Amino acid sequence: MEIIKDPKKIQELTLNLRCSEKSVSLVPTMGYFHKGHLSLMRWAREHSDIVVVSLFVNPTQFGPNEDLDRYPRDFERDKKMAEEVGVDYLFAPEVDDIYYPDHATWVNVPKLSQYLCGKSRPTHFQGVCTIVLKLFNVVNPNIAVFGEKDFQQLVIIKKMVRDLNVPVKIVGRPTVREPDGLAMSSRNAYLNEKERKEAANIYKGLVKAREWVKNGQTNSETIIAKLTEWFMEHIPSGEIDYIEIVDQENLTPIEEIEDKARLAVAIFLGKARLIDNILLEVKK
Ligand code: PAF
């Protein structure tokens, strides 16, 4: 595996690879790898000739009071893990390599960015879209692979790519979970022992809600009220940021579930803000 820091170098290299008919997959990450990242890399390994993983803690997607400075980092460990799953290139630029000091261009999908996480993180998705499009332009992938844990991110990136005719196929892959159900996330590293135990109840609550829907409860207000109560009892150290039931494509709230919907939650727990989501399906 080769480590590349210079965007011009990886751009030239991947352009040449594409010209010689090689398929290139990109797995964009912010590092501190876990099994979720590795499953994306493995998928990319199986579906393309060349696998590029980008490792860049993107400052523009963090709000002023968020965790940019303490975001977990361990380059040596990441390097070893990526190498073990057969990644070809680890693209790990510095902030100054990626952003000009007078960077002035932003990519926005405003409508989809106002819902869910966008309410408490108003500039987050602008930062995500901008860096993802920049990475696409630098790495020239045919395919880019993202995790479904960041459901809103995936929906927004798909829309950006469609609207701007970006020639990259976006692949969403299922959330990888700890044995007790907690969605794998680099931010789980912030949790102390008590918080970690409670965090497992996020997914348990989502599964309960899925059962309520299967058993005929289709009113979102009722489901959200029941789940709020359940979370307050089972995640006493947590503070709910949001629980919402939304349309899977346009992310607008759904009042009555008729077919499929996405239940998405964000919970502050200690120093972490954890997100998760699940598909709700009405039994027909
Ligand atoms: O999902 C992430 O880790 C980040 O938002 C991404 C897509 C790598 C952009 O910085």
Side-chain angles (χ1 to χ4, degrees):
M1 183 179 77
E2 192 178 337
I3 293 156
I4 298 183
K5 281 184 172 296
D6 180 3
K8 286 209 180 73
K9 186 171 172 198
I10 188 109
Q11 195 171 41
E12 204 181 296
L13 205 142
T14 49
L15 273 176
N16 283 334
L17 286 164
R18 292 293 301 274
C19 285
S20 52
E21 305 283 311
K22 297 277 188 214
S23 61
V24 176
S25 279
L26 169 66
V27 182
T29 82
M30 299 208 299
Y32 210 66
F33 296 153
H34 48 68
K35 285 183 187 150
H37 293 115
L38 300 185
S39 83
L40 304 182
M41 295 177 204
R42 283 197 188 98
W43 188 93
R45 181 68 288 159
E46 278 166 27
H47 292 83
S48 49
D49 300 319
I50 304 293
V51 178
V52 180
V53 171
S54 62
L55 193 172
F56 180 65
V57 182
N58 173 37
T60 67
Q61 68 189 74
F62 289 79
N65 300 316
E66 292 181 357
D67 54 344
L68 173 62
D69 292 340
R70 57 192 170 86
Y71 195 83
R73 293 163 167 90
D74 189 340
F75 184 72
E76 288 309 314
R77 178 174 158 275
D78 285 351
K79 194 170 90 178
K80 200 163 162 270
M81 289 168 88
E83 197 149 33
E84 275 167 15
V85 294
V87 170
D88 298 295
Y89 298 102
L90 185 61
F91 173 51
E94 300 294 333
V95 175
D96 296 349
D97 299 325
I98 285 285
Y99 288 108
Y100 291 96
D102 59 346
H103 175 93
T105 307
W106 300 100
V107 186
N108 244 310
V109 187
K111 203 154 190 273
L112 294 177
S113 301
Q114 71 188 325
Y115 304 115
L116 305 172
C117 290
K119 287 186 193 160
S120 57
R121 307 187 76 192
T123 55
H124 172 66
F125 291 110
Q126 170 179 285
V128 169
C129 287
T130 305
I131 191 62
V132 168
L133 190 58
K134 278 165 76 67
L135 289 169
F136 288 175
N137 287 333
V138 168
V139 176
N140 300 297
N142 313 71
I143 301 176
V145 196
F146 296 85
E148 280 177 359
K149 182 179 77 72
D150 298 291
F151 183 75
Q152 185 174 16
Q153 168 171 285
L154 183 60
V155 171
I156 289 175
I157 289 169
K158 279 185 179 160
K159 186 73 87 194
M160 171 187 83
V161 161
R162 191 207 65 174
D163 287 353
L164 299 181
N165 305 85
V166 183
V168 178
K169 182 179 170 200
I170 304 300
V171 172
R173 297 291 303 153
T175 303
V176 177
R177 300 184 179 280
E178 300 284 358
D180 64 4
L182 176 66
M184 299 242 173
S185 164
S186 307
R187 288 187 167 103
N188 293 348
Y190 297 151
L191 302 170
N192 67 27
E193 207 179 317
K194 181 168 177 280
E195 291 158 355
R196 171 64 190 80
K197 272 198 188 126
E198 289 184 29
N201 289 330
I202 298 176
Y203 184 59
K204 291 199 175 93
L206 297 184
V207 171
K208 280 204 170 291
R210 186 175 63 189
E211 287 306 308
W212 299 333
V213 175
K214 269 196 193 142
N215 293 334
Q217 180 54 264
T218 56
N219 181 266
S220 294
E221 207 181 311
T222 311
I223 297 163
I224 292 169
K226 271 178 83 172
L227 187 57
T228 303
E229 209 176 299
W230 196 90
F231 277 159
M232 281 163 68
E233 191 185 332
H234 295 87
I235 316 178
S237 317
E239 195 193 315
I240 298 168
D241 182 14
Y242 67 76
I243 303 177
E244 292 200 40
I245 295 174
V246 297
D247 178 277
Q248 301 218 84
E249 259 136 59
N250 62 31
L251 303 180
T252 52
I254 287 179
E255 280 176 26
E256 203 65 44
I257 310 165
E258 278 167 10
D259 181 16
K260 289 182 183 173
R262 192 56 64 158
L263 167 61
V265 302
I267 295 186
F268 294 102
L269 193 52
K271 292 194 183 77
R273 179 179 174 280
L274 303 175
I275 58 171
D276 204 346
N277 66 83
I278 200 166
L279 172 69
L280 302 178
E281 239 173 321
V282 173
K283 208 167 157 193
K284 292 214 165 138

